[in-house]
């Protein structure tokens, strides 16, 4: 394990950079440095693609739809074959493109290289025997799934397998860290992500199928390793997306992996991370499985800026399986299952002062003097110190999906899927230590069990109109079990006095108010039969060859801790102004219910006159002279969302984009960690607005790929209107928020993400960096933390061992190469549970052995 003392930061940086260069140079051939440098240049001249579409009999096919995709997978032009099967696309920048041709249920594609001032040829055959092969049939199903998920009017960012492999840690990159490379995505502690100024509100889909919400925590059932591609959809989404709309993350799973791989990855923080992948296609059957085990000493963000956290061991196991069978060339059935089990130690924050009132009540004497702010105390013969607390959390997730997908006559496509998820989180307190420091020791368990059904269907009514419709319905059973040991607060009868050091004050009769003994309160709140139902219909209208408009309606109904419903209109457009320039715009009405699995619905009255009681009086309306709070139930959020963006291809290698968005919300939902358990609780602000700008750059030519994203965001809200006794125990803060717009605690004013990879001497070198302006902190989030900056380096290549053993893939990653001390949270702010610091400098190595089966 690497350990870096503060005085050795400069030596640390030199050591890590030297190690990185040493690894890289060790993989180079002896003549590598004699290689000539290659200049990268991009031509602004344009070329033409001329093609023909023929049928299985070799005769020309008219009315075939043609799409031209650039190297990033974006559609940059469209056309249609004439009666002679001919199509022409002019004004194309030099580069490599994919031409798709489709008519009815037949589909094919071909890659084309466009040269400056030249005409490139493309020939595509539809309806041939080749289309009956498993490979081409699989591509048809992937295209069919894409037709069920139009992105018209919204913003989209995709990570394919190649992009993921170029990240410093490759497939070992945590799932949320992959998404941090997209514009407008901000980092937080405990694996949280904030997309465009929202708190979570993220929907995950696998192969287009909804993955139900799980109990929040930072243990992630999702594993980057099984993703063929990861797409983030955000902005003004079409009608098929609802309920969780800050970002829809659609994962396409690996499904055609003939072979296997075993890998060992590890390094700093005692990290050991073995993993495997195995896949095979036999006839119409395809199977793919992957699994990994991870253990290290940095399971959660450190509570200090030191290199090594105190009490932070984690053990994590994850597995995933995908099975599919082609019933015929038009129908596929598939099943997938994933599970994870994670154990965390909650990291300790050293040198915290004990509360002498609590210590004296447990000891029954006045040996602890609160005036000296001691950082440890003897209780029951044991010394209690914040370094030695033993809080733990255990998380389990599992989900399964069974889907039927089909392609019918006249290009009708459909998918029907049943899904299930069970998610549990159990937090165990330190029974004595938490009482000494917090006045309460709570064992908490949350469990959510969801069953649901989803169906989607797409049908082209005419050449210009394609109707997509669908539904989803689910039922959820939730449990919120709390067992809390607290101190009672009692006014003594006239005469007796409190134990020394435990006097809280006096009552109205002048008698001292004292702590009573510890008592245990059980507060279990099951809520079964939570139901959610949604239905949508939309029309994709191809107004012209370049202009597409998508408009539709969505209806959502939820019945859980609260009941709500909404009919939501959506409209979006995308215009391929030129082969180089694309604009999109959209408006969406959103309905976002609170996550039922997080609503604990605790019984406030049970904790009256205890150390868990609210600091204010529930049941009245706040006034300037009476800062009391209510405990209203959390309501669904309702919002209006506007999005406008442009994407322009400056050259065949360089693309830039600009996106602007604005969201106005009523009953804006935020979440906070109120207590030591790493479980979040939702609450509402009466209204809020979120707006921002995103600027993207992407470059790819030859061996060089690079990107750079800038995002500016403002997220503000006012007037807390639900869960007040939980979210705002401080009456002064509650009163301030009732009268002022405040920044949300997760507001990240400016984020920058960028990276580059270059293939040199058969070795891929990479650099990745992020800049975050700092989250909010302090009273009513009026303060801001310092910016966070992190740079990571990587080098990877394949090495041939021998003819018998074949090749192995080697990887090295240096995380936070500058050894920056990045403070993510300082423990203050609304709903912020504890301090959190980003990882210090770390070094990791990986070796993977692919094999055939």
């Amino acid at each position: 394990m690497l350990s870096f003392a503060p005085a050795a930061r400069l030596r640390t940086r030199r050591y890590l950079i030297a190690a990185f260069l040493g690894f890289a140079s060790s993989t180079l051939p002896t003549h590598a440095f004699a290689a000539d440098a290659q200049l990268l240049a991009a031509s602004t001249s344009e070329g033409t693609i001329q093609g023909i579409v023929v049928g299985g009999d070799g005769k020309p096919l008219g009315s075939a739809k043609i799409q031209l995709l650039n190297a990033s997978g974006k559609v940059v032009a469209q056309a249609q074959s004439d009666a002679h099967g001919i199509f022409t696309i002019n004004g194309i920048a030099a580069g490599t493109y994919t031409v798709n041709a489709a008519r009815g249920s037949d589909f094919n594609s071909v890659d084309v290289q466009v040269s400056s001032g030249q005409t490139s040829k493309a020939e595509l055959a539809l309806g041939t025997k080749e289309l009956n092969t498993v490979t081409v049939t699989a591509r048809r199903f992937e295209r069919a799934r894409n037709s069920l998920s139009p992105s018209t009017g919204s913003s989209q960012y995709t990570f394919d397998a190649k992009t993921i492999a170029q990240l410093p840690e490759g497939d070992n990159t945590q799932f949320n860290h992959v998404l941090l490379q997209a514009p407008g995505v901000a980092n937080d502690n405990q694996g949280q992500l904030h997309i465009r100024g929202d708190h979570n509100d993220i929907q995950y889909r696998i192969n287009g199928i909804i993955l139900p919400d799980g109990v929040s925590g930072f243990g992630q059932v999702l594993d980057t390793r099984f993703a063929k591609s990861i797409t983030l959809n955000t902005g003004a989404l079409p009608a098929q997306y609802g309920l969780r709309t800050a970002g829809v993350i659609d994962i396409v799973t690996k499904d055609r992996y003939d072979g296997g791989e075993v890998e060992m990855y590890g390094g700093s923080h005692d990290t050991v991370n073995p993993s495997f992948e195995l896949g095979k296609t036999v006839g119409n059957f395809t199977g793919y499985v992957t699994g990994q085990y991870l253990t290290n000493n940095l399971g959660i963000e450190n509570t200090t800026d030191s290199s090594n956290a105190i009490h932070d061991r984690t053990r994590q196991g994850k597995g995933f399986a995908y099975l599919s069978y082609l019933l015929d060339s038009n129908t596929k059935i598939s099943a997938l299952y994933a599970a994870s089990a994670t154990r965390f130690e909650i990291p300790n924050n050293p040198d915290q002062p004990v509360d002498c009132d609590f210590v004296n009540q447990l000891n029954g004497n006045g040996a602890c003097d609160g005036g000296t702010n001691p950082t440890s105390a003897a209780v029951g013969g044991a010394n209690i110190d914040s370094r030695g607390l033993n809080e733990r959390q255990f998380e389990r997730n599992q989900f399964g999906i069974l889907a039927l997908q089909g392609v019918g006559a006249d290009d009708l496509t459909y998918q029907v899927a049943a899904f299930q998820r069970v998610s549990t989180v159990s937090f165990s307190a330190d029974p004595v230590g938490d009482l000494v420091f917090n006045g309460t020791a709570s064992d908490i368990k949350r469990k959510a069990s969801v069953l649901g059904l989803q169906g989607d269907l797409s049908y082209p009514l005419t050449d210009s109109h394609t109707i997509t419709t669908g539904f989803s319905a689910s039922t959820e059973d939730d449990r919120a079990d709390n067992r809390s040991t607290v101190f009672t607060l009692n006014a003594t009868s006239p005469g007796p006095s409190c134990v020394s050091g435990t006097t809280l004050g006096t009552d109205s009769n002048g008698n001292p108010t004292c702590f009573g003994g510890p008592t245990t309160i059980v507060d279990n709140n099951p809520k079964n039969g939570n139901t959610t139902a949604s239905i949508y219909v939309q029309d994709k209208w191809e107004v012209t060859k370049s202009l597409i408009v998508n408009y539709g309606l969505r209806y959502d109904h939820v019945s859980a801790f609260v009941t709500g419903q909404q009919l939501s209109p959506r409209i979006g457009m995308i215009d391929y102004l030129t082969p180089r320039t694309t604009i999109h715009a959209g408006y969406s009405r959103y309905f976002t219910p609170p996550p039922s699995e997080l609503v604990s619905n605790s019984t406030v009255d049970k904790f009256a006159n205890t150390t868990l009681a609210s600091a204010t009086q529930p049941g009245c309306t706040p006034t300037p002279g009476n800062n009391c709070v209510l405990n209203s139930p959390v309501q669904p959020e309702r919002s209006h969302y506007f999005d406008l963006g442009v994407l322009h291809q400056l050259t065949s290698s360089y693309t830039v984009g600009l996106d602007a968005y604005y969201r106005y919300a009523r009953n804006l939902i935020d979440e906070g960690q109120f207590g030591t358990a790493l479980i979040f609780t939702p609450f509402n602000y009466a209204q809020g607005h979120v707006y921002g700008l995103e600027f993207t750059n992407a470059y790819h030519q030859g061996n060089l790929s690079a990107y750079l994203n800038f995002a500016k965001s403002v997220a503000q809200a006012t007037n807390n209107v639900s869960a007040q006794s939980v979210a705002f125990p401080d009456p002064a803060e509650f009163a301030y928020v009732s009268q002022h717009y405040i920044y949300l605690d997760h507001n990240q004013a400016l984020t920058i993400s960028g990276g580059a990879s270059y293939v040199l001497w058969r070795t891929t070198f990479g650099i990745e960096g992020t800049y975050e302006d700092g989250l909010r902190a302090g009273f009513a989030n009026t303060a801001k933390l310092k910016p966070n900056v992190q740079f990571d380096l990587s080098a990877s290549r394949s090495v041939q061992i021998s003819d018998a053993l074949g090749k192995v893939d080697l990887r090295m990653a240096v995380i936070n190469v500058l050894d920056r001390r990045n403070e993510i949270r300082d423990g203050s702010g609304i709903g912020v549970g504890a301090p959190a610091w980003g990882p210090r400098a770390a070094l990791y190595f990986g070796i993977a052995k692919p094999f055939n089966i």
Side-chain angles (χ1 to χ4, degrees):
M1 181 176 69
L2 296 179
S3 178
F4 307 117
R9 293 185 68 191
L10 182 59
R11 293 197 303 273
T12 295
R13 298 174 190 173
R14 291 174 177 170
Y15 168 77
L16 291 174
I17 294 173
F20 172 78
L21 294 176
F23 172 86
S25 62
S26 68
T27 64
L28 304 179
T30 56
H31 62 278
F33 291 101
D36 293 333
Q38 183 179 12
L39 297 177
L40 299 177
S43 172
T44 57
S45 300
E46 297 176 341
T48 298
I49 295 177
Q50 190 175 77
I52 184 171
V53 182
V54 298
D57 54 4
K59 295 181 179 179
L61 288 180
S63 301
K65 293 183 179 180
I66 309 298
Q67 286 187 325
L68 183 66
L69 285 70
N70 63 16
S72 301
K74 300 289 186 181
V75 177
V76 295
Q78 297 190 97
Q80 184 170 296
S81 63
D82 61 19
H84 303 288
I86 303 296
F87 66 89
T88 303
I89 304 176
N90 297 309
I92 306 300
T96 301
Y97 296 86
T98 299
V99 180
N100 291 342
R103 198 179 83 157
S105 60
D106 295 330
F107 171 80
N108 206 348
S109 65
V110 64
D111 292 334
V112 176
Q113 182 68 41
V114 177
S115 300
S116 302
Q118 302 294 320
T119 298
S120 302
K121 301 296 183 180
E123 182 174 340
L124 299 103
L126 301 181
T128 65
K129 294 181 179 180
E130 183 181 272
L131 290 177
N132 293 323
T133 67
V134 174
T135 300
V136 177
T137 300
R139 295 184 68 178
R140 289 179 58 218
F141 283 116
E142 191 163 316
R143 167 181 166 265
R145 186 165 59 234
N146 292 337
S147 72
L148 294 171
S149 303
S151 58
T152 306
S154 61
S155 302
Q156 191 176 77
Y157 201 91
T158 298
F159 301 88
D160 58 19
K162 181 180 179 181
T163 302
I164 295 171
Q166 291 173 344
L167 295 174
E169 297 187 86
D171 283 346
N172 298 290
T173 306
Q174 293 184 22
F175 193 86
N176 59 317
H177 287 180
V178 175
L179 297 171
L180 285 175
Q181 306 313 307
V185 182
N187 184 40
D188 204 342
N189 61 330
Q190 301 169 24
Q192 298 176 85
L193 294 176
H194 306 297
I195 299 175
R196 289 191 169 185
D198 219 321
H199 190 110
N200 290 333
D201 189 26
I202 300 172
Q203 179 182 135
Y204 292 92
R205 292 188 171 213
I206 295 183
N207 296 335
I209 301 164
I210 297 170
L211 177 60
D213 294 338
V215 179
S216 280
F218 43 87
Q220 299 178 49
V221 65
L222 300 176
D223 183 5
T224 307
R225 191 166 281 102
F226 68 68
K228 179 180 179 181
S229 67
I230 301 170
T231 298
L232 168 61
N233 297 284
T234 187
L237 300 171
Q240 74 185 93
Y241 299 119
L243 303 180
R244 302 284 172 258
T245 52
V248 176
I249 298 165
D250 201 345
I251 306 160
V252 176
T253 59
K254 293 178 180 176
D255 57 358
R256 308 208 51 75
Y257 190 96
D258 289 319
E261 181 178 272
V262 292
E263 181 177 8
M264 176 58 74
Y265 187 78
S268 297
H269 305 295
D270 284 348
T271 299
V272 178
N273 184 195
S275 62
F276 76 92
E277 292 181 87
L278 184 64
K280 185 66 177 176
T281 297
V282 179
N284 289 354
F285 174 80
T286 293
Y288 170 80
V289 294
T290 182
Q292 68 159 320
Y293 173 77
L294 169 66
T295 179
N296 62 37
N297 287 327
L298 194 60
I300 308 171
E301 288 86 354
N302 198 341
T303 56
T304 72
D305 65 353
S306 65
S307 296
N308 302 306
I310 304 170
H311 191 260
D312 201 7
R313 192 75 184 172
T314 184
R315 294 174 176 82
Q316 305 177 23
K318 299 178 184 179
F320 174 83
Y322 174 90
L323 304 173
S324 71
Y325 186 79
L326 295 174
L327 299 176
D328 54 47
S329 61
N330 295 317
T331 313
K332 181 177 76 171
I333 187 170
S334 60
L336 61 85
Y337 176 79
S340 70
T342 305
R343 294 185 182 274
F344 293 99
E345 294 177 342
I346 307 302
N348 295 330
N349 195 6
D351 303 323
Q352 298 301 298
V354 300
D355 191 310
C356 281
D357 288 335
F358 302 148
V359 173
N360 287 331
Q361 184 58 43
L362 290 172
N363 285 338
N365 59 60
C368 181
D369 180 5
T372 61
N373 294 319
T375 58
S376 63
V379 177
N383 190 63
I384 304 300
D385 185 299
S386 62
R387 292 175 177 269
L389 296 181
N390 188 26
E391 299 170 333
R392 297 171 180 270
Q393 187 154 307
F394 177 50
E395 302 182 12
R396 271 192 308 196
N397 285 276
Q398 58 177 341
F399 66 85
I401 294 173
L402 181 64
L404 178 68
Q405 185 183 4
V407 180
D410 299 324
D411 217 16
L412 179 145
T413 59
Y414 65 88
Q415 181 167 266
V416 180
F419 54 81
Q420 170 265 354
R421 176 168 182 169
V422 179
S423 174
T424 62
V425 171
S426 299
F427 172 81
S428 299
D430 187 302
V432 177
D434 279 359
L435 277 176
V436 168
F437 287 97
N438 305 315
T440 176
S442 300
D443 290 341
I444 298 173
K445 182 176 182 179
R446 300 283 188 269
K447 182 177 182 180
S449 302
V450 185
L451 285 172
L453 189 67
Q454 175 187 343
D456 299 277
L457 181 145
S458 177
Y459 181 72
L461 286 178
T462 68
D463 289 341
S464 301
H465 292 273
T466 300
I467 298 296
T468 305
T469 185
F471 72 93
S472 64
S474 65
T475 179
E476 179 176 347
D477 293 338
D478 297 319
R479 286 197 63 85
D481 295 345
N482 308 277
R483 184 181 180 87
S484 304
T485 301
V486 296
F487 292 110
T488 58
L489 307 177
N490 300 315
T492 64
S493 58
S497 61
C498 297
V499 174
S500 175
T502 64
T503 302
L504 299 177
T506 58
D507 63 12
S508 58
N509 297 318
N511 298 315
T513 302
C514 309
F515 283 107
T519 185
T520 299
I521 299 175
V522 177
D523 186 27
N524 295 340
N525 294 278
K527 182 66 171 70
N528 299 327
N530 301 322
T531 58
T532 302
S534 305
I535 188 170
Y536 74 90
V537 62
Q538 61 192 14
D539 175 25
K540 182 180 177 181
W541 176 22
E542 299 182 27
V543 183
T544 67
K545 290 184 178 180
S546 64
L547 175 63
I548 300 174
V549 176
N550 189 302
Y551 57 94
L553 283 174
R554 179 183 181 90
Y555 174 76
D556 296 295
H557 177 88
V558 61
S559 178
F561 287 98
V562 295
T563 299
Q565 58 189 353
Q566 181 173 289
L567 183 65
S568 305
R570 310 281 179 87
I571 184 169
M573 58 79 67
I574 186 168
D575 194 343
Y576 303 97
L577 290 176
T578 72
R580 291 175 176 270
T581 306
T582 303
I583 64 171
H584 72 263
Y587 162 78
S588 293
R589 180 85 164 114
Y590 287 146
F591 172 80
T592 305
S596 299
E597 70 281 358
L598 299 184
V599 180
S600 63
N601 202 31
S602 60
T603 309
V604 176
D605 293 343
K606 284 188 175 184
F607 298 97
N609 299 316
T610 73
T611 45
L612 262 185
S614 172
T616 50
Q617 301 172 356
C620 61
T621 302
T623 64
N626 184 17
N627 294 325
C628 60
V629 296
L630 311 173
N631 198 47
S632 308
V634 185
Q635 298 296 318
E637 176 185 307
R638 304 171 191 270
S639 62
H640 301 271
Y641 201 112
F642 302 87
D643 189 24
L644 175 65
V646 59
L647 186 70
H648 180 66
Q649 189 175 13
L650 290 173
T651 72
S652 60
S653 306
Y654 183 35
T655 303
V656 296
L658 181 65
D659 223 303
Y661 61 91
Y662 174 79
R663 178 168 69 94
Y664 171 77
R666 290 187 297 111
N667 290 327
L668 183 145
I669 295 177
D670 198 0
E671 295 177 8
Q673 180 190 343
F674 305 102
T676 52
L678 303 177
I679 300 172
F680 292 87
T681 300
F683 60 96
N684 294 111
Y685 291 98
Q687 54 188 348
H689 52 250
V690 182
Y691 54 91
L693 282 171
E694 296 171 356
F695 180 57
T696 61
N697 298 261
Y699 182 87
H700 176 77
Q701 180 166 323
N703 293 339
L704 176 64
S705 296
Y707 66 94
L708 184 63
N709 305 313
F710 300 85
K712 177 70 175 177
S713 177
V714 175
Q716 294 179 315
T718 186
N719 192 14
N720 173 232
V721 291
S722 71
Q724 297 94 328
S725 66
V726 176
F728 288 88
D730 180 1
E733 190 172 47
F734 178 75
Y736 181 88
V737 174
S738 298
Q739 302 296 324
H740 299 81
Y741 265 94
I742 66 167
Y743 287 101
L744 301 181
D745 71 284
H746 55 266
N747 184 80
Q748 192 70 266
L750 175 65
T751 57
I752 303 174
S753 62
S757 67
Y758 188 75
V759 180
L760 182 65
W761 309 304
R762 294 183 298 169
T763 301
T764 301
F765 297 90
I767 182 171
E768 173 190 294
T770 56
Y771 171 92
E772 297 187 331
D773 198 42
L775 296 172
R776 308 301 298 189
F779 176 86
N781 302 333
T782 52
K784 186 180 77 68
L785 299 179
K786 294 180 180 179
N788 290 348
V789 179
Q790 180 172 319
F791 287 98
D792 305 330
L793 300 177
S794 65
S796 62
R797 70 168 295 159
S798 296
V799 177
Q800 184 75 20
I801 303 289
S802 67
D803 292 339
L805 296 176
K807 69 174 184 176
V808 296
D809 298 326
L810 303 178
R811 176 178 296 273
M812 173 184 167
V814 183
I815 305 302
N816 192 7
V817 67
L818 301 180
D819 197 27
R820 292 266 307 188
R821 300 169 188 260
N822 291 318
E823 186 178 28
I824 301 173
R825 293 289 191 181
D826 69 353
S828 69
I830 298 171
V832 179
W837 293 77
R840 293 285 295 278
L843 181 62
Y844 299 99
F845 295 94
I847 179 169
K849 178 65 179 74
F851 57 87
N852 297 319
I853 56 174

